[in-house]
Amino acid sequence: MRIIFMGTPDFAVPSLKTLAESPHEIVTVVTQPDRPKGRGRTLTPPPVKIAAQDLKIPVFQPEKVRAEDALDKLAALKPDLLITAAYGQILPKRLLDLPSLGCINVHASLLPRWRGGAPIHRAIIEGDKETGVTIMRMVEALDAGDILSQVTVPITEEDTAGTLHDKLAEAGAKLLSETLPHILSGDVQGTPQDERLATYAPNLTREDEQIDWTKPARQIVNQIRGLNPWPVAFTTSEDKIFKIWKARIDDEYSVQDEPGTVLSVTNDAIRVQAGKGIVAIQEIQPAGKKRMSVEAFLRGKQMAPGSRFLVSISEGM
């Protein structure tokens, strides 16, 4: 079977490596172009390109995959199947119609829940207890094709977007290897998604990142977990930005005050009043500094009870 694989970030790498170990031929890997990254704006290849080059597989990086010259090049490869995993561009109908066995996608959610570009982050932010991976047939609508297979992955209290990403990437690769033989033999028909249950996971915005201290402690802690390790939740105090990497709910502290008020400062945590409950910040990153424990943070800065974080973006305007 001749396969075109399309993916870009780390999530897609285990699926690519699994395919490379199969008896099928990956005729090319399509990925996003190299982009400037970091303070030096160094031109950096996407993780899938690095993996494909290590595997000695040809790489194709069109700026726009729907461009006619890109489509002509892919058509000339005469693929039987096209597989995408977090590629990052919408595929045109001409490409969807190209492979004889169709196009399938490895999606990091239990569709129809969390269609869109940020399903892992949204699942944690919204407090889901489980998520998973779906292998689906691609159609001309966002993540709306028939479901070929699914696997469920629990979300623990300790999970961040980073840890859950790694679990789902491995689960997706395993599910892909289990599903491919059924696609090849034609004994998997697919199940239509229930549109009534569809929810959407839009890409994250700057607004998603700022902590709103009027929200319940549970929502704030979920937001911090769901944005770790990228893009990381933040708050502000005295016109300074602080990224918050890790926090927990403190059910035992009895003092209460206005939302955003620092209630206590100890070496293990900075306790902050939320709209309901208390958030104990455990790891923090001042602007221009590295991520650090609260104990290390307090060695260089005094933060006393009664200090206050801005409640939300609107308060600072």
Side-chain angles (χ1 to χ4, degrees):
M1 182 160 59
R2 293 171 60 81
I3 295 174
I4 291 176
F5 183 83
M6 304 179 69
T8 299
D10 288 316
F11 176 78
V13 172
S15 290
L16 173 59
K17 290 182 175 178
T18 294
L19 282 176
E21 294 172 355
S22 76
H24 309 298
E25 180 187 4
I26 305 175
V27 292
T28 195
V29 166
V30 185
T31 189
Q32 298 278 6
D34 298 0
R35 305 289 190 198
K37 192 174 182 181
R39 290 186 175 180
R41 306 304 291 161
T42 304
L43 203 59
T44 305
V48 162
K49 179 182 180 180
I50 296 171
Q53 290 177 329
D54 288 343
L55 295 165
K56 312 299 183 189
I57 301 171
V59 174
F60 181 38
Q61 296 178 276
E63 189 68 41
K64 292 184 178 179
V65 75
R66 61 176 53 249
E68 287 300 315
D69 58 343
L71 294 173
D72 289 344
K73 181 171 181 174
L74 295 175
L77 296 173
K78 301 185 183 308
D80 300 305
L81 182 68
L82 187 151
I83 300 172
T84 68
Y87 170 57
Q89 292 186 32
I90 295 175
L91 306 194
K93 187 174 188 304
R94 181 183 167 192
L95 187 52
L96 294 175
D97 291 341
L98 185 62
S100 56
L101 294 175
C103 301
I104 63 170
N105 175 238
V106 184
H107 186 79
S109 83
L110 294 174
L111 292 171
R113 186 163 178 79
W114 300 134
R115 296 174 177 175
I120 300 174
H121 297 87
R122 299 291 180 188
I124 294 181
I125 290 170
E126 293 301 320
D128 290 2
K129 300 302 182 187
E130 64 179 22
T131 183
V133 178
T134 301
I135 308 287
M136 50 158 284
R137 287 202 182 280
M138 298 182 71
V139 295
E140 284 189 281
L142 181 65
D143 300 329
D146 289 355
I147 295 170
L148 301 180
S149 58
Q150 283 186 322
V151 61
T152 298
V153 175
I155 301 176
T156 70
E157 287 291 322
E158 290 72 35
D159 269 326
T160 63
T163 62
L164 187 59
H165 165 281
D166 293 348
K167 293 178 184 178
L168 294 175
E170 293 299 330
K174 184 172 184 291
L175 185 65
L176 181 60
S177 69
E178 295 169 350
T179 306
L180 274 181
H182 298 289
I183 294 174
L184 192 58
S185 64
D187 64 357
V188 58
Q189 300 303 314
T191 304
Q193 296 185 37
D194 187 341
E195 293 295 327
R196 297 170 301 176
L197 302 178
T199 61
Y200 291 87
N203 290 329
L204 298 167
T205 66
R206 186 67 170 166
E207 190 171 292
D208 292 317
E209 299 167 30
Q210 182 165 16
I211 295 171
D212 180 347
W213 292 101
T214 64
K215 291 184 176 179
R218 166 53 64 191
Q219 287 188 31
I220 293 172
V221 170
N222 287 345
Q223 177 190 14
I224 292 167
R225 294 166 55 221
L227 299 178
N228 176 352
W230 182 88
V232 186
F234 75 92
T235 184
T236 59
S237 178
E238 298 177 353
D239 296 328
K240 295 179 180 176
I241 293 177
F242 298 90
K243 290 186 175 182
I244 308 299
W245 284 83
K246 185 177 181 182
R248 58 179 168 79
I249 298 171
D250 192 330
D251 292 325
E252 299 180 355
Y253 205 74
S254 58
V255 174
Q256 292 192 346
D257 209 321
E258 293 296 315
T261 303
V262 174
L263 301 175
S264 78
V265 180
T266 60
N267 281 339
D268 72 312
I270 298 170
R271 292 171 179 80
V272 184
Q273 180 71 56
K276 180 181 180 182
I278 294 167
V279 174
I281 297 172
Q282 298 167 284
E283 291 185 18
I284 191 168
Q285 181 180 8
K289 302 286 182 64
K290 294 181 179 179
R291 167 185 181 178
M292 63 186 77
S293 67
V294 164
E295 182 177 7
F297 170 71
L298 294 176
R299 290 191 202 111
K301 179 178 176 58
Q302 297 298 315
M303 180 170 281
S307 304
R308 191 163 180 270
F309 291 111
L310 286 185
V311 169
S312 63
I313 292 174
S314 59
E315 187 184 40
M317 297 177 64

